[in-house]
Amino acid sequence: MQPVIVPEPDGSVRVDGRRVALGELPSVVVAAGASARWTWDDTNRWYPGLLAAGVRVERAYDLRLGHRILRGSALASWPEPGDAPPGPWDTLPPAPLTSTPDQPAMLFAAPGVDDSAPGPDPVAELAVQDAVVAASLAAAGRLRLLLAAESAGALAAVEMYHAGLPWLADVHDAVLTETLGPRPRLGERPARLEELAHLIRAALDAPASLNPDSPRDLLRAIERAGVGARSLRKWELEQLDHPVVEPLLEYKSLYRLLTANGWAWLEAWVRDGRFRSEYVVGGVVTGRWASSGGGALQLPKSVRRAVVADPGWSFVIADAAQLEPRVLAAMAGDEVMAAAGRGPDGRGADMYAGIVASGAVPTRELAKVGMLGAMYGGTTGSSGQVLPRLAKAFPRSLAFVDDAARAGERGEVVTTHLGRSSPLPGATWHETQAGAYQDDAGDDDVAKARSYARSWGRFTRNFVVQGTAAEWALCWLASIRRRLWALGPSPSVSDDGPVPAPFAARPHLVFFVHDEIVVHTPADLADAVAAEVQAAAAEAGRLLFGDFPVQFPLSVAIAPSYADAK
DNA sequence: GTACTTAGCGCG
DNA sequence: AAAGCGCGCTAAGTAC
């Protein structure tokens, strides 16, 4: 069954021709059963209200996300040329997530969305997307997998927002107090920062008026004192031998903690023991997720101590080891590199150690920077130096990323394993390239064009790897989500604890960052969860790469705090 | 006052 | 003497 939710001007919806009042939607969804695939314009618009009513959806199809992928995909076969003007499905912004378990006031209605205006027709759009996929022939299977995974990811993203990441404000406060000193009054510097500011001024022989928070003032004082730095970047300061370096680096680090994840952050983003940040599915060109509000994808290691499971609950924390080089080996069909990732016992090695064991490079560190350089387009330093050796040992993988880079340098599109394509370079890029062929083009123009071309080549080189890794992660996430639900509720956890329905006594995802997940689970299910997370990684590998002998080993920890992982 | 850019740094 | 991908966020600084 594939019901489509069609919004009506009066605020109700139509489901397979039947008019349904919004308040009735949760029971209609429940009645349809778990095999139904709910199709809607935007998961963010419909799913928060269902979750607030305690209803989980097993399968969904997100037309907005599907359209964006198909519209850009070089594998998708549109009936008309791809340069057709953008329609409503191209411009639809995602509905903002506002409802939380304790504040479901805006049930199904995102503020600012004018529901009285007739929107684009989801039934027609679904037919269009189905037809485009079907017409894509050989690529149809991959595109279907990508679209299903993207939609499953959208469900998982809303569920993680609904559940929230368990967060102990007093632990966070203790971290801040230990490193910065007690919380100061508004507008004042914490004690440790104040101390460091004095040390910085003394080392620079600068007046008390010098404000270390002002990069301009600070840089001027540094120039005057003859320190020898021409910027305030950490790496540049680290090279220098001057008494100001040590206090300044510490100041910058603590200042960063204070401004990005200090007391103000805590008050803004943590409520009732949960941190909620909105995940923006497909928010990055490569298909990775972005986040909005609170910087969930950049949680510094130092504050992860505050992420603590509820009493009677535990975390299962898992991350995929060397995901990107493994993905590269698989998409390039590089059996040699895949073998390096399997290790001597064939059960999933540290891939960089495997590269050393293959004799390609002498140390793990060189294997790592070399592979990163290959995937990012590095040319200098030790990364550039080992590149030829890696190219000799793993010609298929290196040729694969080189091909992607060449395509980008020519201004062409590249595509991930499942069919997400890169954008084309913009007008400035093309003008710069054209500038190199003008009759009056100087050396500068040629050099600039070359530099732009190379830069876009580095982008496309990385796009195919990062984007395909994001696809693996989506499949992993989708599989984990399904498996966790199948484990069922724990008999030893009560239904009225701090975890909201429908996850009250069930393991559920609470955090995801590119190649890493955190599951919050009743403690008695933690071992079972860990096994499912492992099984899901293997399943994701099979979904993307079939029988190709690549492995995706995880490091998995069962712990009471996120800080205890690794 | 608002809206923008820049520098810097956190994460993967 | 810092090059090589993708982001979000903050404060300072600038433009209007």
PDB file of all heavy atoms in Angstrom, chain B:
ATOM      1  P    DG B   1      20.393  49.888  18.831  1.00  0.00           P
ATOM      2  OP1  DG B   1      19.566  49.758  20.009  1.00  0.00           O
ATOM      3  OP2  DG B   1      21.809  49.524  18.903  1.00  0.00           O
ATOM      4  O5'  DG B   1      19.850  49.006  17.619  1.00  0.00           O
ATOM      5  C5'  DG B   1      18.535  48.609  17.421  1.00  0.00           C
ATOM      6  C4'  DG B   1      18.279  48.687  15.943  1.00  0.00           C
ATOM      7  O4'  DG B   1      19.087  49.739  15.388  1.00  0.00           O
ATOM      8  C3'  DG B   1      18.690  47.430  15.173  1.00  0.00           C
ATOM      9  O3'  DG B   1      17.593  46.556  15.089  1.00  0.00           O
ATOM     10  C2'  DG B   1      19.105  47.967  13.796  1.00  0.00           C
ATOM     11  C1'  DG B   1      19.408  49.433  14.030  1.00  0.00           C
ATOM     12  N9   DG B   1      20.802  49.784  13.788  1.00  0.00           N
ATOM     13  C8   DG B   1      21.761  50.106  14.705  1.00  0.00           C
ATOM     14  N7   DG B   1      22.919  50.396  14.173  1.00  0.00           N
ATOM     15  C5   DG B   1      22.713  50.253  12.813  1.00  0.00           C
ATOM     16  C6   DG B   1      23.606  50.421  11.718  1.00  0.00           C
ATOM     17  O6   DG B   1      24.792  50.754  11.747  1.00  0.00           O
ATOM     18  N1   DG B   1      22.965  50.167  10.503  1.00  0.00           N
ATOM     19  C2   DG B   1      21.662  49.790  10.365  1.00  0.00           C
ATOM     20  N2   DG B   1      21.233  49.589   9.109  1.00  0.00           N
ATOM     21  N3   DG B   1      20.830  49.629  11.365  1.00  0.00           N
ATOM     22  C4   DG B   1      21.410  49.873  12.559  1.00  0.00           C
ATOM     23  P    DT B   2      17.800  45.023  14.709  1.00  0.00           P
ATOM     24  OP1  DT B   2      16.503  44.329  14.894  1.00  0.00           O
ATOM     25  OP2  DT B   2      19.005  44.570  15.411  1.00  0.00           O
ATOM     26  O5'  DT B   2      18.122  45.077  13.151  1.00  0.00           O
ATOM     27  C5'  DT B   2      17.132  45.518  12.228  1.00  0.00           C
ATOM     28  C4'  DT B   2      17.667  45.318  10.826  1.00  0.00           C
ATOM     29  O4'  DT B   2      18.861  46.123  10.667  1.00  0.00           O
ATOM     30  C3'  DT B   2      18.072  43.867  10.525  1.00  0.00           C
ATOM     31  O3'  DT B   2      17.589  43.496   9.248  1.00  0.00           O
ATOM     32  C2'  DT B   2      19.590  43.896  10.594  1.00  0.00           C
ATOM     33  C1'  DT B   2      19.914  45.324  10.172  1.00  0.00           C
ATOM     34  N1   DT B   2      21.194  45.853  10.731  1.00  0.00           N
ATOM     35  C2   DT B   2      22.177  46.280   9.876  1.00  0.00           C
ATOM     36  O2   DT B   2      22.064  46.255   8.652  1.00  0.00           O
ATOM     37  N3   DT B   2      23.317  46.740  10.479  1.00  0.00           N
ATOM     38  C4   DT B   2      23.566  46.819  11.840  1.00  0.00           C
ATOM     39  O4   DT B   2      24.618  47.254  12.264  1.00  0.00           O
ATOM     40  C5   DT B   2      22.492  46.346  12.686  1.00  0.00           C
ATOM     41  C7   DT B   2      22.647  46.374  14.181  1.00  0.00           C
ATOM     42  C6   DT B   2      21.372  45.893  12.102  1.00  0.00           C
ATOM     43  P    DA B   3      17.870  42.062   8.647  1.00  0.00           P
ATOM     44  OP1  DA B   3      16.777  41.735   7.705  1.00  0.00           O
ATOM     45  OP2  DA B   3      18.210  41.160   9.756  1.00  0.00           O
ATOM     46  O5'  DA B   3      19.195  42.310   7.801  1.00  0.00           O
ATOM     47  C5'  DA B   3      19.136  43.085   6.606  1.00  0.00           C
ATOM     48  C4'  DA B   3      20.429  42.899   5.852  1.00  0.00           C
ATOM     49  O4'  DA B   3      21.498  43.554   6.593  1.00  0.00           O
ATOM     50  C3'  DA B   3      20.844  41.436   5.692  1.00  0.00           C
ATOM     51  O3'  DA B   3      21.326  41.231   4.384  1.00  0.00           O
ATOM     52  C2'  DA B   3      21.924  41.254   6.750  1.00  0.00           C
ATOM     53  C1'  DA B   3      22.554  42.630   6.798  1.00  0.00           C
ATOM     54  N9   DA B   3      23.181  42.955   8.086  1.00  0.00           N
ATOM     55  C8   DA B   3      22.704  42.689   9.348  1.00  0.00           C
ATOM     56  N7   DA B   3      23.493  43.096  10.314  1.00  0.00           N
ATOM     57  C5   DA B   3      24.569  43.670   9.649  1.00  0.00           C
ATOM     58  C6   DA B   3      25.755  44.270  10.103  1.00  0.00           C
ATOM     59  N6   DA B   3      26.056  44.425  11.387  1.00  0.00           N
ATOM     60  N1   DA B   3      26.614  44.729   9.175  1.00  0.00           N
ATOM     61  C2   DA B   3      26.302  44.576   7.884  1.00  0.00           C
ATOM     62  N3   DA B   3      25.219  44.025   7.334  1.00  0.00           N
ATOM     63  C4   DA B   3      24.388  43.582   8.279  1.00  0.00           C
ATOM     64  P    DC B   4      21.636  39.734   3.872  1.00  0.00           P
ATOM     65  OP1  DC B   4      21.145  39.628   2.490  1.00  0.00           O
ATOM     66  OP2  DC B   4      21.185  38.791   4.899  1.00  0.00           O
ATOM     67  O5'  DC B   4      23.235  39.709   3.848  1.00  0.00           O
ATOM     68  C5'  DC B   4      23.890  40.387   2.802  1.00  0.00           C
ATOM     69  C4'  DC B   4      25.245  40.864   3.263  1.00  0.00           C
ATOM     70  O4'  DC B   4      25.167  41.364   4.613  1.00  0.00           O
ATOM     71  C3'  DC B   4      26.308  39.784   3.354  1.00  0.00           C
ATOM     72  O3'  DC B   4      26.907  39.597   2.088  1.00  0.00           O
ATOM     73  C2'  DC B   4      27.295  40.367   4.353  1.00  0.00           C
ATOM     74  C1'  DC B   4      26.488  41.409   5.117  1.00  0.00           C
ATOM     75  N1   DC B   4      26.477  41.175   6.592  1.00  0.00           N
ATOM     76  C2   DC B   4      27.565  41.639   7.344  1.00  0.00           C
ATOM     77  O2   DC B   4      28.491  42.204   6.756  1.00  0.00           O
ATOM     78  N3   DC B   4      27.576  41.442   8.692  1.00  0.00           N
ATOM     79  C4   DC B   4      26.550  40.823   9.274  1.00  0.00           C
ATOM     80  N4   DC B   4      26.602  40.678  10.597  1.00  0.00           N
ATOM     81  C5   DC B   4      25.427  40.335   8.524  1.00  0.00           C
ATOM     82  C6   DC B   4      25.437  40.524   7.198  1.00  0.00           C
ATOM     83  P    DT B   5      27.913  38.354   1.896  1.00  0.00           P
ATOM     84  OP1  DT B   5      28.123  38.190   0.450  1.00  0.00           O
ATOM     85  OP2  DT B   5      27.415  37.229   2.712  1.00  0.00           O
ATOM     86  O5'  DT B   5      29.265  38.869   2.552  1.00  0.00           O
ATOM     87  C5'  DT B   5      29.852  40.091   2.107  1.00  0.00           C
ATOM     88  C4'  DT B   5      31.149  40.314   2.872  1.00  0.00           C
ATOM     89  O4'  DT B   5      30.854  40.466   4.279  1.00  0.00           O
ATOM     90  C3'  DT B   5      32.136  39.149   2.763  1.00  0.00           C
ATOM     91  O3'  DT B   5      33.428  39.674   2.514  1.00  0.00           O
ATOM     92  C2'  DT B   5      32.044  38.456   4.117  1.00  0.00           C
ATOM     93  C1'  DT B   5      31.671  39.610   5.045  1.00  0.00           C
ATOM     94  N1   DT B   5      30.905  39.213   6.260  1.00  0.00           N
ATOM     95  C2   DT B   5      31.430  39.501   7.502  1.00  0.00           C
ATOM     96  O2   DT B   5      32.506  40.051   7.663  1.00  0.00           O
ATOM     97  N3   DT B   5      30.641  39.117   8.552  1.00  0.00           N
ATOM     98  C4   DT B   5      29.414  38.499   8.495  1.00  0.00           C
ATOM     99  O4   DT B   5      28.804  38.209   9.512  1.00  0.00           O
ATOM    100  C5   DT B   5      28.927  38.217   7.167  1.00  0.00           C
ATOM    101  C7   DT B   5      27.603  37.531   6.989  1.00  0.00           C
ATOM    102  C6   DT B   5      29.681  38.580   6.134  1.00  0.00           C
ATOM    103  P    DT B   6      34.644  38.694   2.210  1.00  0.00           P
ATOM    104  OP1  DT B   6      35.569  39.415   1.349  1.00  0.00           O
ATOM    105  OP2  DT B   6      34.106  37.364   1.854  1.00  0.00           O
ATOM    106  O5'  DT B   6      35.292  38.568   3.662  1.00  0.00           O
ATOM    107  C5'  DT B   6      35.791  39.735   4.298  1.00  0.00           C
ATOM    108  C4'  DT B   6      36.479  39.328   5.591  1.00  0.00           C
ATOM    109  O4'  DT B   6      35.482  39.009   6.583  1.00  0.00           O
ATOM    110  C3'  DT B   6      37.385  38.103   5.447  1.00  0.00           C
ATOM    111  O3'  DT B   6      38.656  38.460   5.934  1.00  0.00           O
ATOM    112  C2'  DT B   6      36.691  37.028   6.281  1.00  0.00           C
ATOM    113  C1'  DT B   6      35.869  37.841   7.269  1.00  0.00           C
ATOM    114  N1   DT B   6      34.603  37.222   7.761  1.00  0.00           N
ATOM    115  C2   DT B   6      34.328  37.271   9.108  1.00  0.00           C
ATOM    116  O2   DT B   6      35.064  37.759   9.925  1.00  0.00           O
ATOM    117  N3   DT B   6      33.132  36.715   9.467  1.00  0.00           N
ATOM    118  C4   DT B   6      32.198  36.124   8.632  1.00  0.00           C
ATOM    119  O4   DT B   6      31.151  35.657   9.079  1.00  0.00           O
ATOM    120  C5   DT B   6      32.549  36.105   7.233  1.00  0.00           C
ATOM    121  C7   DT B   6      31.608  35.488   6.238  1.00  0.00           C
ATOM    122  C6   DT B   6      33.718  36.649   6.866  1.00  0.00           C
ATOM    123  P    DA B   7      39.901  37.447   5.822  1.00  0.00           P
ATOM    124  OP1  DA B   7      41.108  38.267   5.636  1.00  0.00           O
ATOM    125  OP2  DA B   7      39.599  36.341   4.911  1.00  0.00           O
ATOM    126  O5'  DA B   7      39.922  36.869   7.303  1.00  0.00           O
ATOM    127  C5'  DA B   7      39.981  37.787   8.394  1.00  0.00           C
ATOM    128  C4'  DA B   7      40.028  36.999   9.677  1.00  0.00           C
ATOM    129  O4'  DA B   7      38.685  36.542   9.995  1.00  0.00           O
ATOM    130  C3'  DA B   7      40.916  35.761   9.618  1.00  0.00           C
ATOM    131  O3'  DA B   7      41.695  35.769  10.801  1.00  0.00           O
ATOM    132  C2'  DA B   7      39.928  34.593   9.552  1.00  0.00           C
ATOM    133  C1'  DA B   7      38.711  35.157  10.293  1.00  0.00           C
ATOM    134  N9   DA B   7      37.409  34.635   9.888  1.00  0.00           N
ATOM    135  C8   DA B   7      36.984  34.345   8.621  1.00  0.00           C
ATOM    136  N7   DA B   7      35.747  33.908   8.560  1.00  0.00           N
ATOM    137  C5   DA B   7      35.328  33.919   9.880  1.00  0.00           C
ATOM    138  C6   DA B   7      34.109  33.562  10.488  1.00  0.00           C
ATOM    139  N6   DA B   7      33.052  33.122   9.819  1.00  0.00           N
ATOM    140  N1   DA B   7      34.019  33.694  11.828  1.00  0.00           N
ATOM    141  C2   DA B   7      35.081  34.142  12.499  1.00  0.00           C
ATOM    142  N3   DA B   7      36.287  34.502  12.038  1.00  0.00           N
ATOM    143  C4   DA B   7      36.335  34.361  10.703  1.00  0.00           C
ATOM    144  P    DG B   8      42.905  34.724  11.002  1.00  0.00           P
ATOM    145  OP1  DG B   8      43.898  35.392  11.846  1.00  0.00           O
ATOM    146  OP2  DG B   8      43.294  34.140   9.692  1.00  0.00           O
ATOM    147  O5'  DG B   8      42.203  33.575  11.842  1.00  0.00           O
ATOM    148  C5'  DG B   8      41.659  33.885  13.122  1.00  0.00           C
ATOM    149  C4'  DG B   8      40.765  32.767  13.557  1.00  0.00           C
ATOM    150  O4'  DG B   8      39.576  32.753  12.753  1.00  0.00           O
ATOM    151  C3'  DG B   8      41.368  31.370  13.404  1.00  0.00           C
ATOM    152  O3'  DG B   8      41.800  30.917  14.677  1.00  0.00           O
ATOM    153  C2'  DG B   8      40.230  30.522  12.826  1.00  0.00           C
ATOM    154  C1'  DG B   8      39.029  31.449  12.890  1.00  0.00           C
ATOM    155  N9   DG B   8      38.048  31.217  11.831  1.00  0.00           N
ATOM    156  C8   DG B   8      38.258  31.233  10.475  1.00  0.00           C
ATOM    157  N7   DG B   8      37.182  30.946   9.783  1.00  0.00           N
ATOM    158  C5   DG B   8      36.206  30.729  10.753  1.00  0.00           C
ATOM    159  C6   DG B   8      34.848  30.376  10.622  1.00  0.00           C
ATOM    160  O6   DG B   8      34.202  30.189   9.585  1.00  0.00           O
ATOM    161  N1   DG B   8      34.221  30.247  11.856  1.00  0.00           N
ATOM    162  C2   DG B   8      34.839  30.434  13.072  1.00  0.00           C
ATOM    163  N2   DG B   8      34.094  30.277  14.141  1.00  0.00           N
ATOM    164  N3   DG B   8      36.116  30.764  13.212  1.00  0.00           N
ATOM    165  C4   DG B   8      36.732  30.889  12.017  1.00  0.00           C
ATOM    166  P    DC B   9      42.399  29.443  14.832  1.00  0.00           P
ATOM    167  OP1  DC B   9      43.214  29.476  16.043  1.00  0.00           O
ATOM    168  OP2  DC B   9      42.957  28.975  13.547  1.00  0.00           O
ATOM    169  O5'  DC B   9      41.097  28.579  15.130  1.00  0.00           O
ATOM    170  C5'  DC B   9      40.285  28.910  16.258  1.00  0.00           C
ATOM    171  C4'  DC B   9      39.199  27.870  16.377  1.00  0.00           C
ATOM    172  O4'  DC B   9      38.253  28.052  15.293  1.00  0.00           O
ATOM    173  C3'  DC B   9      39.735  26.435  16.236  1.00  0.00           C
ATOM    174  O3'  DC B   9      39.101  25.618  17.182  1.00  0.00           O
ATOM    175  C2'  DC B   9      39.361  26.060  14.824  1.00  0.00           C
ATOM    176  C1'  DC B   9      38.028  26.801  14.683  1.00  0.00           C
ATOM    177  N1   DC B   9      37.572  26.997  13.278  1.00  0.00           N
ATOM    178  C2   DC B   9      36.217  26.867  12.983  1.00  0.00           C
ATOM    179  O2   DC B   9      35.433  26.612  13.892  1.00  0.00           O
ATOM    180  N3   DC B   9      35.804  27.007  11.699  1.00  0.00           N
ATOM    181  C4   DC B   9      36.687  27.289  10.741  1.00  0.00           C
ATOM    182  N4   DC B   9      36.221  27.427   9.501  1.00  0.00           N
ATOM    183  C5   DC B   9      38.068  27.442  11.016  1.00  0.00           C
ATOM    184  C6   DC B   9      38.469  27.290  12.287  1.00  0.00           C
ATOM    185  P    DG B  10      39.829  24.255  17.683  1.00  0.00           P
ATOM    186  OP1  DG B  10      40.181  24.420  19.102  1.00  0.00           O
ATOM    187  OP2  DG B  10      40.853  23.838  16.699  1.00  0.00           O
ATOM    188  O5'  DG B  10      38.622  23.231  17.577  1.00  0.00           O
ATOM    189  C5'  DG B  10      37.584  23.271  18.567  1.00  0.00           C
ATOM    190  C4'  DG B  10      36.304  22.756  17.962  1.00  0.00           C
ATOM    191  O4'  DG B  10      35.854  23.655  16.918  1.00  0.00           O
ATOM    192  C3'  DG B  10      36.440  21.410  17.247  1.00  0.00           C
ATOM    193  O3'  DG B  10      36.344  20.361  18.187  1.00  0.00           O
ATOM    194  C2'  DG B  10      35.218  21.444  16.335  1.00  0.00           C
ATOM    195  C1'  DG B  10      35.128  22.918  15.938  1.00  0.00           C
ATOM    196  N9   DG B  10      35.719  23.193  14.634  1.00  0.00           N
ATOM    197  C8   DG B  10      37.031  23.491  14.334  1.00  0.00           C
ATOM    198  N7   DG B  10      37.227  23.696  13.048  1.00  0.00           N
ATOM    199  C5   DG B  10      35.970  23.509  12.480  1.00  0.00           C
ATOM    200  C6   DG B  10      35.566  23.592  11.134  1.00  0.00           C
ATOM    201  O6   DG B  10      36.251  23.861  10.135  1.00  0.00           O
ATOM    202  N1   DG B  10      34.208  23.319  10.990  1.00  0.00           N
ATOM    203  C2   DG B  10      33.355  23.024  12.012  1.00  0.00           C
ATOM    204  N2   DG B  10      32.094  22.788  11.694  1.00  0.00           N
ATOM    205  N3   DG B  10      33.724  22.944  13.275  1.00  0.00           N
ATOM    206  C4   DG B  10      35.036  23.204  13.437  1.00  0.00           C
ATOM    207  P    DC B  11      36.986  18.947  17.852  1.00  0.00           P
ATOM    208  OP1  DC B  11      36.882  18.139  19.063  1.00  0.00           O
ATOM    209  OP2  DC B  11      38.284  19.165  17.196  1.00  0.00           O
ATOM    210  O5'  DC B  11      35.980  18.368  16.753  1.00  0.00           O
ATOM    211  C5'  DC B  11      34.645  18.038  17.142  1.00  0.00           C
ATOM    212  C4'  DC B  11      33.829  17.697  15.917  1.00  0.00           C
ATOM    213  O4'  DC B  11      33.758  18.829  15.032  1.00  0.00           O
ATOM    214  C3'  DC B  11      34.432  16.612  15.041  1.00  0.00           C
ATOM    215  O3'  DC B  11      34.143  15.345  15.584  1.00  0.00           O
ATOM    216  C2'  DC B  11      33.687  16.852  13.740  1.00  0.00           C
ATOM    217  C1'  DC B  11      33.557  18.366  13.700  1.00  0.00           C
ATOM    218  N1   DC B  11      34.552  19.016  12.815  1.00  0.00           N
ATOM    219  C2   DC B  11      34.232  19.202  11.464  1.00  0.00           C
ATOM    220  O2   DC B  11      33.128  18.816  11.067  1.00  0.00           O
ATOM    221  N3   DC B  11      35.123  19.789  10.646  1.00  0.00           N
ATOM    222  C4   DC B  11      36.302  20.183  11.118  1.00  0.00           C
ATOM    223  N4   DC B  11      37.140  20.768  10.266  1.00  0.00           N
ATOM    224  C5   DC B  11      36.664  20.006  12.490  1.00  0.00           C
ATOM    225  C6   DC B  11      35.766  19.418  13.299  1.00  0.00           C
ATOM    226  P    DG B  12      35.021  14.071  15.145  1.00  0.00           P
ATOM    227  OP1  DG B  12      34.599  12.936  15.961  1.00  0.00           O
ATOM    228  OP2  DG B  12      36.435  14.486  15.098  1.00  0.00           O
ATOM    229  O5'  DG B  12      34.547  13.828  13.639  1.00  0.00           O
ATOM    230  C5'  DG B  12      33.278  13.222  13.400  1.00  0.00           C
ATOM    231  C4'  DG B  12      33.069  13.127  11.898  1.00  0.00           C
ATOM    232  O4'  DG B  12      33.173  14.441  11.336  1.00  0.00           O
ATOM    233  C3'  DG B  12      34.158  12.335  11.192  1.00  0.00           C
ATOM    234  O3'  DG B  12      33.797  10.954  11.181  1.00  0.00           O
ATOM    235  C2'  DG B  12      34.101  12.910   9.788  1.00  0.00           C
ATOM    236  C1'  DG B  12      33.703  14.356  10.018  1.00  0.00           C
ATOM    237  N9   DG B  12      34.835  15.278   9.901  1.00  0.00           N
ATOM    238  C8   DG B  12      35.697  15.700  10.891  1.00  0.00           C
ATOM    239  N7   DG B  12      36.608  16.527  10.458  1.00  0.00           N
ATOM    240  C5   DG B  12      36.338  16.654   9.108  1.00  0.00           C
ATOM    241  C6   DG B  12      36.986  17.415   8.101  1.00  0.00           C
ATOM    242  O6   DG B  12      37.964  18.154   8.211  1.00  0.00           O
ATOM    243  N1   DG B  12      36.385  17.245   6.849  1.00  0.00           N
ATOM    244  C2   DG B  12      35.296  16.454   6.602  1.00  0.00           C
ATOM    245  N2   DG B  12      34.858  16.416   5.333  1.00  0.00           N
ATOM    246  N3   DG B  12      34.672  15.743   7.525  1.00  0.00           N
ATOM    247  C4   DG B  12      35.250  15.888   8.747  1.00  0.00           C
TER     248       DG B  12
END
